[in-house]
Amino acid sequence: MKKIIVFSLAIALAIFTNSCSSGGNSPEPTPTPEKATVTINPTKDKALEPGVNGEFTITLSKAISTATTVYYKVEGTATNGVDYQEIETNISVPAKSTSVKIPVVVIDDEETEGTETVIITLSDTDNGNVTISTLNKAIVSIEEEEETVPYVPSIEPGATRSYMVNSNATDETVALFYNLKILSETNNVIIGQQDAFNAFYNDNTGDSDIKKTTGSDPGLLGSDFMFITDDNNDGTSSNWFYQQEEIITGDAIEAYDKGMVNTFCWHFREPYSGDEFYASNINSDDLNKAFQSILPGGENHEYYKQKLQKIAEVTKGMVGSDGKQVPIVFRPFHEFDGSWFWWGANYCTPSEYIELWQFTVEYLRDDLQVDNMLFAFSPDNNFTTASQYLERYPGDEYVDILGMDNYGDFANQGQSGANTANSKLQVLTNLAKEKVKIAALTETGYRVDSNHSPISNLYSTYFYSALTNNNVEVAFMMFWNNNSDGYYTPVPGESDANDFVSFYNKEETLFQNNLPDLYTLPN
């Protein structure tokens, strides 16, 4: 019985094994063809002559079991085999690989050629299952490394006085001139504001509005001799105008002690009534003779000299905690190319303006011996050329700072207005280089109030680009003052405050907390 069982089991296993291994007579399935597309990309799209190579990468959409040759054209303004090591017009992608690199090895030919291009355009493959993608063209640029030219200051510290209006200026005033000039040449701009220590948006007293927003005071404080020289200032402690004099001079001393720059304008009241500086508020008889009356020989010339004496007294009397006179930038008769002030273009000739400016400088410097003052010439923005700017220029020996007041180009004019302002600052930059003077945006801003909404990117884009594009060299710029119902610089909570903080964080903008020492002359 046992033998019969074993035999039967063997037969059954043999039959089962034969049945499973034969698989019947059905044919083998046909394999799916390997299809792919090929693309090219510039994985290093910028090369630099010498030393930095570029690179293209050819990529298959999937790996193929056999090698695939890709054909292409090599074109561009750079010459194959001359500007870079020769690139063949085909390359093989290895089997079971998805990419291959084509290096652009730059050849230093020691010629100045500007930026050149290498362009590769895929054309075909040797594999019918690999087709060219629409991403069949790529470009690598070859740029020339700019030679680093060491910075050479336009003036030596010891020669500074020879370029200044007052060669007998105090050491601190000389240092201020030198350091402002060097700052401008190194693309730094000091940012300031008029009346920053005593004029606030919404009358929110305390820190300057700029400090409320950024954590730092401005780098420059603007002040005005207007109340100081007012006819009603009698010098007594109970007198409102004298109280303003004390506040203004105290602020200037504080700014100096903080290392800031001080600049003074002068909204000088016309000499007949002593009440107004805007031409529209002055009767026509007085308006048409006011300027001429303060010229040498004019009926109000002695009156004018008394006002200059007051300015001299106050300027010389401002002494910092170091015991030194506070240097100031004096900016008289500003915006003279307009006619909104009684000293404007409609009310005096260029020669009359020049005569008064020269007298003013000589009287303050030579007769009254004011040695802590730099002189800033500042028309409004009504010029596009150097010759227009210089129409009323009194001469290099009478000017330290070439300024410009400019509100119009930032009055919601967008990037176009900023570009226009920048082109005018280029005029100032070129003149300052030629004359070894200091260029500055002496007054500017855009006022936000109930009738004027904030402008997006005004500070970080428009003001910033105007001050820095096209190698402009501006030592400082000053926003006009905030007051109870409007502002030129935003405070926390306003929609443009973050934009101003971005402006503050720019590398080139200098505020009080990152000013260098402006009042020491390097050895």
Side-chain angles (χ1 to χ4, degrees), residues 109-127:
D109 55 14
E110 298 184 354
E111 294 183 9
T112 302
E113 299 160 308
T115 299
E116 298 178 294
T117 57
V118 183
I119 303 172
I120 291 183
T121 306
L122 305 183
S123 58
D124 201 359
T125 75
D126 69 346
N127 189 331

Side-chain angles (χ1 to χ4, degrees), residues 7-46:
F7 175 77
S8 300
L9 181 60
I11 294 172
L13 288 170
I15 294 170
F16 177 77
T17 302
N18 183 60
S19 173
C20 288
S21 63
S22 68
N25 296 320
S26 58
E28 293 286 337
T30 303
T32 302
E34 297 178 295
K35 292 185 178 295
T37 58
V38 60
T39 61
I40 185 168
N41 289 289
T43 43
K44 295 180 183 177
D45 63 352
K46 288 186 180 179

